[in-house]
Amino acid sequence: MALLQIHDPEAKPKAIGIDLGTTNSLVAYVTASGEPVAVRDCDNEALVPSVVHYVKDGRVLVGRDAVALAERFPEDTIVSVKRFMGRGADDPETRRMGTYRFASEAGPVVKFAVAPDRIVTPVEVSAQTLAFLRETAEDELGTIGGAVITVPAYFDDAQRQATKDAGKLAGLEVLRLLNEPTAAALAYGLQEKKNGTFVVYDLGGGTFDVTILVLDDGVFQVRSTGGDSQLGGDDIDRGLAEKILPLLGAQTPHTVRRALNAAKQIKHALTDSETVQAELERDDGTLVDHTVTRAELDEIVAPLAKRTGNAAKRALRDAELTAADIDGVILVGGATRVPAIRRYVAELFGQEPLGSIDPDQVVALGAAIQADLLSGESTNADVLLLDVLPLSLGVETMGGVVERILPRNTPIPAAQAQEFTTYADKQTGFELHVVQGERELAEDCRSLARFTLKGIPPMPAGMARLKVVFRVDADGLLKVEAEEKTTGTRQEVEVRPSYGLTDEEVERMLTDAYEHGEDDVKLRRLREEQVEGKRILSALEQALRVDGTLVEDDEERADIEGAMKRLRRALDGEDHDEIRRRTEDLDHASKAFAGRRMDRSMKKALAGRAASQLESETQDARGIEPHLGSTEH
């Protein structure tokens, strides 16, 4: 804790910025002179290890005290919990080289069994770290105001909501969730007073983000963002630990934790040395000497660095830029100290990266600046921060196709509306499936929420009109509103997904979108043509049952039935062009029959039938809007 200080009771509460990191966390604030500084403890340390230990007597230790107990009590000491945020208990990532007792093998939330007979979630563990940081800041500043907490740009909605909940549980007023690369650019841009197009390359303990943004006299405009929410320095540690573990004998929670700790120390030592001699301890107390060279570390780092490069290249394409257009590369995160990573970044962008601000502190400093701006006390009131959505948001329509409502890289906060119509006659409800991702089919995207709008009067297909509005706030959190326009029936839902839906990782969404882009478009067209063909067949079959006597002769019936048969055969195949042609052929074959139905309806209307009934009988089921599924299954 910080040294005890006497505080001015008249002083206003001070807003703070928090970098809640995978490996280390820290808190910062802006001084009266406008300078962002990190809060330090009595040992003059700013970094707080993101490690929480649960003692058998019920106490909770955070930071270096917890680190000291990690090897002795590996199952009761939670390390790198950020990688568990927003993930399910059955997610493979939660089981990889872990030292923990999991309370369950399945379920929407990871649960750790710790001493004494206690079950905790990643949100609760993160809240312990945040509460420790809050207390540290209070020791130095007295009463604190709100807090800006940073998150990886590629955290999805579940992970963002989990972080916000952890802040509230820690007794913090969460002013804003701020993307880590944007926070770093904010600190760098204001302290270095530079304009231009910059890349923020952020490789932390457990997450990687790359953001391209333009700094222009106080305006910070994000052009694109990319990354991987499951890639960081921890993966380098794991790669080294997997080589060390066989030397320690039987694999136990103790040896796994010992191997991971040794790997981290070796990685740090190889930053300045070409060779490290490590002394490893087995469970029986015997010691093993092990030599690791920087070349061996470089082998482990190479595939991880390439993964960061793939994300960076996509971000450049999204921003419609090349490496030659970049004025500077800002390094963020402790893993960027690894020599192989620095060399890779220099080669990737053709220039040496910038390093004038401590990469471990720059995110917290930027968060403090943003907190200061939001408090209304800032001397940098003319700063404008424009962030973007990392992934597209949309809804599932008939055929499992995704209709994007807010595309990725849309500036936030943002709102967008779109209208949909019904697929089936007498449909009395809409089922909305909200998804996130870049693939063309909902099954390949991440499911965020499902809800139903009921109470719609039965109408012919295509008559109901549903207006769906997506609103994303400055934290990147989503709210969905739905209203059936003819009746005014409406519903609103804040998308608070159950943490850790078992879908693909966020980074994988983009990778797959690029790899399968052409195939996805073909599959989307196939699904759309199948939906349209089946709808036309269904409508015509119904029309023939009701008004079959209006078919003029056997030749016309044969033409219609032949066209229907050919369309059914095409629907069994996977050629979307063939389905479209056969749908058009059926439309042409039944055109005269449809005309006679129209004439009959007009005559009935002239005979005094209600206009509303006329509309019902003559409605062409082909809606111009995408079709949403019925609630009747």
Side-chain angles (χ1 to χ4, degrees), residues 14 29-37 190-191 369 372 378-380:
K14 194 70 180 173
Y29 68 99
V30 174
T31 65
S33 62
E35 178 187 3
V37 295
L190 289 183
Q191 287 196 234
I369 292 170
D372 194 46
S378 176
T379 57
N380 295 302

Side-chain angles (χ1 to χ4, degrees), residues 194-457:
K194 290 186 178 181
N195 289 338
T197 302
F198 292 85
V199 171
V200 180
Y201 181 99
D202 182 357
L203 187 62
T207 59
F208 170 69
D209 288 312
V210 58
T211 293
I212 298 173
L213 71 161
V214 176
L215 310 184
D216 185 13
D217 292 336
V219 177
F220 295 73
Q221 182 173 11
V222 176
R223 292 283 298 273
S224 66
T225 190
D228 190 329
S229 63
Q230 294 296 326
L231 173 63
D234 280 1
D235 296 284
I236 301 174
D237 298 345
R238 286 171 173 175
L240 274 171
E242 283 168 357
K243 294 181 180 299
I244 293 171
L245 201 52
L247 303 174
L248 302 182
Q251 181 171 324
T252 67
H254 293 82
T255 56
V256 168
R257 174 50 57 201
R258 204 174 298 134
L260 287 168
N261 287 351
K264 189 183 295 290
Q265 292 171 6
I266 292 169
K267 178 184 70 177
H268 291 166
L270 287 173
T271 299
D272 300 312
S273 304
E274 291 292 333
T275 304
V276 170
Q277 185 78 24
E279 193 175 66
L280 309 173
E281 183 183 356
R282 291 193 175 112
D283 272 350
D284 61 7
T286 59
L287 300 177
V288 181
D289 287 331
H290 182 59
T291 301
V292 183
T293 65
R294 186 181 286 180
E296 290 177 284
L297 178 65
D298 289 352
E299 273 187 37
I300 294 170
V301 171
L304 303 175
K306 186 177 179 181
R307 281 171 63 185
T308 71
N310 292 337
K313 290 171 185 175
R314 283 195 298 273
L316 282 171
R317 283 198 299 269
D318 288 345
E320 299 180 346
L321 297 170
T322 66
D325 298 316
I326 301 304
D327 296 307
V329 181
I330 303 168
L331 293 183
V332 180
T336 61
R337 299 182 189 277
V338 175
I341 293 292
R342 285 181 174 256
R343 285 198 307 272
Y344 183 83
V345 173
E347 292 169 6
L348 184 64
F349 294 101
Q351 59 183 289
E352 287 298 319
L354 304 168
S356 58
I357 302 180
D358 184 343
D360 283 324
Q361 292 193 19
V362 65
V363 169
L365 299 180
I369 292 170
Q370 177 68 356
D372 194 46
L373 287 167
L374 294 174
S375 72
E377 302 294 324
S378 176
T379 57
N380 295 302
D382 56 345
V383 170
L384 179 61
L385 191 61
L386 302 173
D387 217 331
V388 297
L389 278 178
L391 289 170
S392 300
L393 296 166
V395 295
E396 180 181 0
T397 60
M398 287 302 298
V401 172
V402 175
E403 188 69 22
R404 292 189 184 93
I405 294 181
L406 283 172
R408 67 190 174 97
N409 291 324
T410 297
I412 58 174
Q416 183 65 41
Q418 188 158 335
E419 285 195 8
F420 298 85
T421 188
T422 46
Y423 171 77
D425 288 335
K426 299 182 180 179
Q427 188 172 321
T428 59
F430 287 94
E431 184 179 274
L432 282 93
H433 181 201
V434 182
V435 297
Q436 182 180 39
E438 306 309 314
R439 300 293 294 276
E440 297 294 332
L441 300 184
E443 64 193 38
D444 297 319
C445 292
R446 183 178 177 87
S447 175
L448 290 184
R450 294 177 184 270
F451 68 100
T452 302
L453 187 70
K454 297 180 178 179
I456 299 168

